[in-house]
Amino acid sequence: MNTTEQSCLPGMVFSARQHTAVVDGIREMAKETWAIRLRQPELAEQITPGQFFMIRTADGSDPLLGRPFALYDTYADQDGRVVGIEFGFVVVGKLTSLMTHWKVGDTVDVWGPLGNGFPIPSAKRLICVAGGIGQTPFLAVATEAIGLKRYGLPQRQLQERPESVTLCYGVRSREYLSGLDDFSLSDLQVEVATDDGSYGYHGFVTELLQQQLETDRHEAEVFCCGPEPMMKAVAAVCRDASVKCWLSLETPMACGFGACFSCVTKVREDDGTWDYRRTCVEGPVFEADRLVL
Amino acid sequence: MNPLAVQLNRLTLQNPILVASGTFGYAKEMTAYVDFAKLGGIIPKTVTPQPRPGNPPPRTVETASGLLNSIGLDNDGFDQFVAEKLPYLAGLRTSVIVNIAAKTNDEFRRMATVLNAAEGVAAVELNISCPNVSGGVDFGTNPELAADVVRTVCDAGDLPVIAKLTPNVTSVVPIAQAVADAGADAVSLINTFQGMAINWKKRRPVLGNVLGGLSGPAIKPLALRIVWQVAQAAQIPIIGVGGIQCIDDVMEFIVAGASAIQVGTANFYDPGLANRLVDELTDVVAQEKVESLTDLVGTLQISRAQ
């Protein structure tokens, strides 16, 4: 007989729960870019970098469904107890527009943690490549990789920390750059590219990645999150350089936990064919080689 | 006596709160959020004779208080379901109603025969109403064809048979009556309404499959109308489905004539709802001072005089 463990998909989280959370803070990070803190200790102490959760307004039916958001970072109370999560978002639709008007003390529905998250870094060099709001997962990824903080229940322990951690972060233009203060961590090297040259390197973030891979590429692994064309380009760069690459997909979802079969992406099978797989319970982080991009 | 117990001809449920096919995965997905033992029953995602990859994304889009979907019966096929998913489902302490779809009577017969021999199946629900696959709609829009399928599945064994009907017809009543006459134990009313979403600036449909099925609170008045019409005219127990997201919604379907209900789209955005509804139904029975919820079924009064 099939047991739960045998058929458990990597992103199916049996310890996830549906909660009410309280808005603990809201800040504007950049143009059309915001961050919200939600107080929800049970979720905060479980979640790991690259995992996500679903958020829904507590009442009404328009917007109807929850929306997925990735962990930016957890935060602690005065006693150092992890009590909440912070996430970043760009205003793109109905819910995100409403969210910019949320006030401290408002309650919202949230469920998670969801998805597999990024793996524990295993190479000597970790290079995170972010496009736009795709920077979201990398604060926690970097914080953990550098050894400043631990996540999860029980807390994850890195066997061996990477010798270097780099964030290559690309945005359209300077006013969309968010969280540079948060990312100014000792031992985190941050390289910024803007499409219009208004800040940092003038060009695409993939070019920053190529520069990074000019030396010691065999010791590197890449974690990437951003718009699909950018991730496709990053995957191609990594394939050419024989560097292991993980992509975190931003597929639209209706439920986040595998019930609806909306969020499918083409995943390669061992026999070379492909099948639609659910991003929420098989990802959202996939080895780039497994995806048909 | 259990005041929430429901009898749908040969099918007995511990309470009338079911979860709709296609909104609950194969139950394992819901483990973290739902106490299965508390539910009246679980209807897993539709299974077809052969594996189906499903439709290209985008497969869903939210509309005003609704969800338009075109998943396309993405599933790993009946044999894989029986070998790998059914043993898990059968171990849950609730009624499991297996939902099947096929393009021919022979395929329905084959699956029904296997399910009749399997452990832990309480009933079969026939999806003769999915709007998102070619060949899927025909059975459900024609009373004779619908009756043929029901007869075929009834002849395959003793399992109770539920026909899930489409609203995308001029009138559901003759189809409901036809499947009742053919031996169906109940009808699930209704599947999704065919709809469309458009991005006019791109001059493109939003869904990968162009058309989809609409569900969610937006369709509740439409579903209530059909439940009421069928309850008036056809002789068969009704399972109401369409936009239920709170106890008042449940009771509206009950008084309109449904003996049980299915929570559908709400499972996606409030997975704990179905469990809460069971508790709240117990409260309603107490408040309404009736012995059994059954006493409230079809109690809608129409005053013609005013």
Side-chain angles (χ1 to χ4, degrees), chain B residues 124-150:
Chain B
V124 181
E125 185 180 61
L126 307 178
N127 179 358
I128 50 173
S129 47
C130 178
N132 296 326
V133 294
S134 59
V137 154
D138 302 332
F139 286 114
T141 55
N142 178 310
E144 285 78 34
L145 294 177
D148 277 350
V149 176
V150 167

Side-chain angles (χ1 to χ4, degrees), chain A:
Chain A
M1 171 151 164
N2 203 27
T3 68
T4 301
E5 289 71 28
Q6 279 172 341
S7 65
C8 180
L9 298 167
M12 197 176 277
V13 183
F14 290 107
S15 59
R17 293 291 180 269
Q18 184 181 6
H19 301 285
T20 299
V22 180
V23 176
D24 230 1
I26 175 162
R27 61 184 170 124
E28 196 167 357
M29 297 181 87
K31 188 176 181 182
E32 294 160 13
T33 310
W34 297 70
I36 286 179
R37 284 187 165 197
L38 291 180
R39 182 173 280 256
Q40 210 329 291
E42 203 181 324
L43 171 59
E45 66 184 4
Q46 278 191 49
I47 197 163
T48 60
Q51 282 193 305
F52 67 100
F53 41 86
M54 299 287 287
I55 293 179
R56 180 174 186 261
T57 49
D59 45 34
S61 60
D62 192 15
L64 182 66
L65 302 166
R67 304 282 191 275
F69 296 93
L71 175 71
Y72 189 49
D73 206 356
T74 58
Y75 65 92
D77 64 9
Q78 289 141 331
D79 304 326
R81 208 172 61 98
V82 173
V83 291
I85 46 173
E86 187 170 48
F87 64 98
F89 64 96
V90 168
V91 178
V92 289
K94 210 180 284 177
L95 183 67
T96 46
S97 300
L98 285 173
M99 282 163 58
T100 62
H101 301 290
W102 284 0
K103 301 275 184 298
V104 171
D106 286 353
T107 57
V108 302
D109 289 346
V110 55
W111 54 97
L114 302 167
N116 56 355
F118 281 103
I120 290 176
S122 58
K124 282 187 178 170
R125 294 177 65 201
L126 173 61
I127 305 172
C128 302
V129 185
I133 194 62
Q135 56 91 317
T136 299
F138 295 123
L139 181 58
V141 165
T143 307
E144 183 184 54
I146 291 166
L148 295 174
K149 199 165 163 181
R150 292 169 64 187
Y151 297 86
L153 194 67
Q155 287 191 324
R156 306 210 297 184
Q157 177 84 50
L158 272 62
Q159 295 298 328
E160 208 171 340
R161 290 208 298 269
E163 287 170 11
S164 78
V165 183
T166 306
L167 172 67
C168 299
Y169 175 23
V171 291
R172 269 180 284 169
S173 178
R174 180 184 191 130
E175 66 262 32
Y176 291 98
L177 274 173
S178 63
L180 284 189
D181 290 348
D182 301 323
F183 284 105
S184 63
L185 305 167
S186 57
D187 299 332
L188 174 63
Q189 184 193 348
V190 179
E191 305 284 345
V192 174
T194 49
D195 296 358
D196 63 1
S198 54
Y199 191 97
Y201 176 78
H202 185 174
F204 290 135
V205 72
T206 40
E207 293 156 32
L208 290 181
L209 173 63
Q210 277 165 328
Q211 289 167 17
Q212 289 290 322
L213 295 178
E214 277 165 14
T215 54
D216 300 329
R217 63 188 162 92
H218 298 298
E219 295 180 345
E221 70 180 329
V222 169
F223 290 1
C224 176
C225 183
E228 208 163 286
M230 170 261 186
M231 287 203 285
K232 198 174 171 174
V234 166
V237 168
C238 290
R239 192 167 50 245
D240 292 345
S242 302
V243 169
K244 189 155 202 168
C245 176
W246 300 84
L247 305 181
S248 181
L249 302 187
E250 297 181 315
T251 320
M253 295 174 183
C255 68
F257 42 72
C260 74
F261 286 71
S262 300
C263 61
V264 294
T265 190
K266 284 183 183 176
V267 175
R268 241 182 276 281
E269 306 278 12
D270 293 338
D271 64 3
T273 60
W274 60 264
D275 188 24
Y276 283 128
R277 299 297 182 86
R278 290 166 288 177
T279 302
C280 62
V281 289
E282 301 214 21
V285 178
F286 291 89
E287 269 185 72
D289 290 345
R290 288 192 63 212
L291 296 174
V292 183
L293 292 168

Side-chain angles (χ1 to χ4, degrees), chain B residues 238-294:
Chain B
I238 295 167
I239 303 170
V241 205
I244 291 171
Q245 59 173 355
C246 66
I247 188 65
D248 289 330
D249 295 339
V250 174
M251 293 313 300
E252 289 169 17
F253 277 92
I254 298 288
V255 301
S259 301
I261 62 95
Q262 296 174 11
V263 176
T265 304
N267 290 317
F268 296 152
Y269 60 84
D270 185 4
L273 173 69
N275 274 166
R276 296 200 309 276
L277 290 177
V278 176
D279 293 334
E280 290 167 1
L281 265 185
T282 304
D283 297 343
V284 169
V285 169
Q287 284 156 15
E288 294 296 317
K289 300 184 172 56
V290 290
E291 280 184 20
S292 155
L293 186 73
T294 312

Side-chain angles (χ1 to χ4, degrees), chain B residues 66-90:
Chain B
L67 174 66
L68 195 63
N69 91 80
S70 177
I71 308 297
L73 301 184
D74 178 339
N75 79 105
D76 294 333
F78 184 73
D79 295 343
Q80 199 264 10
F81 172 82
V82 171
E84 292 180 24
K85 298 192 175 89
L86 191 53
Y88 172 80
L89 287 160

Side-chain angles (χ1 to χ4, degrees), chain B residues 204-230:
Chain B
R204 299 281 300 169
V206 176
L207 292 178
N209 192 47
V210 184
L211 302 181
L214 185 64
S215 64
I219 69 164
K220 191 189 73 173
L222 305 170
L224 281 172
R225 182 265 295 175
I226 292 170
V227 165
W228 182 70
Q229 286 177 326
V230 171

